[in-house]
Amino acid sequence: LLDALGDQAALAIERVMLAEDVDRAKLAAETERLRSALLTSISHDLRTPLASILGSATSLTRYGSTLDEAGRLDLATNIQEEAERLNRFIANLLDMTRLESGAVRPRSGPVDLSELVGSALERTGRILAGHHVEVDLAPDLPMVDLDPVLFEQVLFNLLDNAAKYAPAGSRVTVRARRLGDAVEVRLMDEGDGIPPADVDRIFDKFYRVHAQDRQRAGTGLGLAICRGFVEAMGGAIAAGNRSDRSGAVFTLTIPAAADLPALEDSSL
Ligand code: ADP
């Protein structure tokens, strides 16, 4: 009897192991499929701006001398914009890799939020040149506990999106206020906003509401990086839509620096 039971047990174990092998093989196949889809998408995102750079550079070298000043400037501007796009994409890929490998270890320490907002706006100056930017920071803002480099990247990604998804000439608002032991920063735009069904998904890696939209090229990585960075710094980020008009709102909640007096209002 014991032998028979032993055989049965061995058989059952064998079956479970076989099922596990099948699961493992399925998982490996799915991982491989995702990896190759990812490579295709990344190659496409790299090649599109590169093709445009090559096209404009070739026109400049071949026909530059026959063009007028404005024509040459057009080509040079296109090269610059596409190179910047390429640069942002590669920076996003590197940031994502750092996040996923656990290599992001935020520095902490008291930081002046208004300085960070100022430098993020400086970096996005050219991108947001066609928009009206309004900054409204409460005068009693405390220092915040943040890694300035990571947080500036978060603000940059959100402002870059506002420039991309809200029409030229519209208003982009950055507002910050104290909320108990935290500071709430809100970025609002006047674009179409985010379809309610997508609000929870836009922070997923590679998720884009209009995936085929080549006009507003993107990688679907910007917001995933924002969430990763903000959470690594002990904060939170949420997306929503404005109630007063159409437009997206991104709300960041970040811890105030402990035991530090509120900043003096510099205008006093
Ligand atoms: P990307 O902009 O490269 O596509 P993101 O991760 O930054 O990637 O954003 C994911 C998606 O969220 C975007 O493709 C877009 O559909 C949506 N989105 C982000 N910001 C806004 C915004 N300000 N207004 C409307 N939709 C937005």
Side-chain angles (χ1 to χ4, degrees), residues 89 92 157-166 187-195 198 201-211 213 216-226 239-241 247-250:
F89 177 55
N92 275 346
N157 288 359
L158 294 175
L159 291 168
D160 186 36
N161 278 349
K164 233 165 33 179
Y165 299 108
L187 283 100
M188 294 178 269
D189 63 46
E190 297 181 342
D192 291 338
I194 302 150
D198 294 298
R201 304 191 59 192
I202 55 170
F203 292 100
D204 291 351
K205 222 178 359 166
F206 298 114
Y207 189 78
R208 308 192 68 215
V209 176
H210 304 289
D213 186 352
R216 291 176 288 190
T219 57
L221 284 176
L223 289 179
I225 291 165
C226 286
N241 287 298
V249 187
F250 287 87

Side-chain angles (χ1 to χ4, degrees), residues 26-201:
K26 270 194 198 150
L27 189 68
E30 179 61 9
T31 311
E32 198 41 49
R33 194 188 63 74
L34 283 175
R35 202 204 313 265
S36 96
L38 183 63
L39 269 180
T40 311
S41 143
I42 290 176
S43 313
H44 182 77
D45 285 325
L46 287 173
R47 286 181 88 172
T48 310
L50 204 52
S52 175
I53 290 172
L54 276 174
S56 297
T58 309
S59 302
L60 256 185
T61 46
R62 279 203 195 140
Y63 313 113
S65 55
T66 65
L67 294 173
D68 61 7
E69 187 62 28
R72 280 198 296 270
L73 192 64
D74 256 5
L75 290 170
T77 308
N78 184 55
I79 294 176
Q80 182 179 351
E81 284 175 0
E82 294 295 328
E84 278 169 1
R85 176 180 297 183
L86 210 49
N87 203 14
R88 283 206 296 279
F89 177 55
I90 293 168
N92 275 346
L93 276 182
L94 289 176
D95 281 343
M96 201 67 226
T97 314
R98 285 200 312 137
L99 262 173
E100 295 196 327
S101 65
V104 172
R105 291 196 200 86
R107 263 187 41 201
S108 69
V111 181
D112 181 349
L113 187 67
S114 55
E115 268 175 31
L116 286 185
V117 171
S119 50
L121 283 172
E122 223 165 84
R123 267 180 71 195
T124 40
R126 231 171 60 78
I127 303 170
L128 273 169
H131 293 72
H132 302 289
V133 181
E134 191 179 287
V135 180
D136 173 14
L137 307 178
D140 65 339
L141 278 187
M143 296 286 256
V144 282
D145 188 8
L146 284 176
D147 182 314
V149 176
L150 297 189
F151 196 70
E152 200 191 303
Q153 187 62 42
V154 171
L155 290 177
F156 178 88
N157 288 359
L158 294 175
L159 291 168
D160 186 36
N161 278 349
K164 233 165 33 179
Y165 299 108
S170 63
R171 190 181 308 275
V172 175
T173 310
V174 184
R175 194 167 284 168
R177 61 177 179 149
R178 183 177 202 143
L179 249 187
D181 286 342
V183 170
E184 182 194 75
V185 184
R186 309 189 97 197
L187 283 100
M188 294 178 269
D189 63 46
E190 297 181 342
D192 291 338
I194 302 150
D198 294 298
V199 163
D200 289 335
R201 304 191 59 192

Side-chain angles (χ1 to χ4, degrees), residues 13-28:
I13 290 172
E14 207 170 295
R15 251 187 237 131
V16 169
M17 282 172 63
L18 266 176
E20 271 178 10
D21 276 352
V22 172
D23 283 350
R24 225 172 283 142
K26 270 194 198 150
L27 189 68

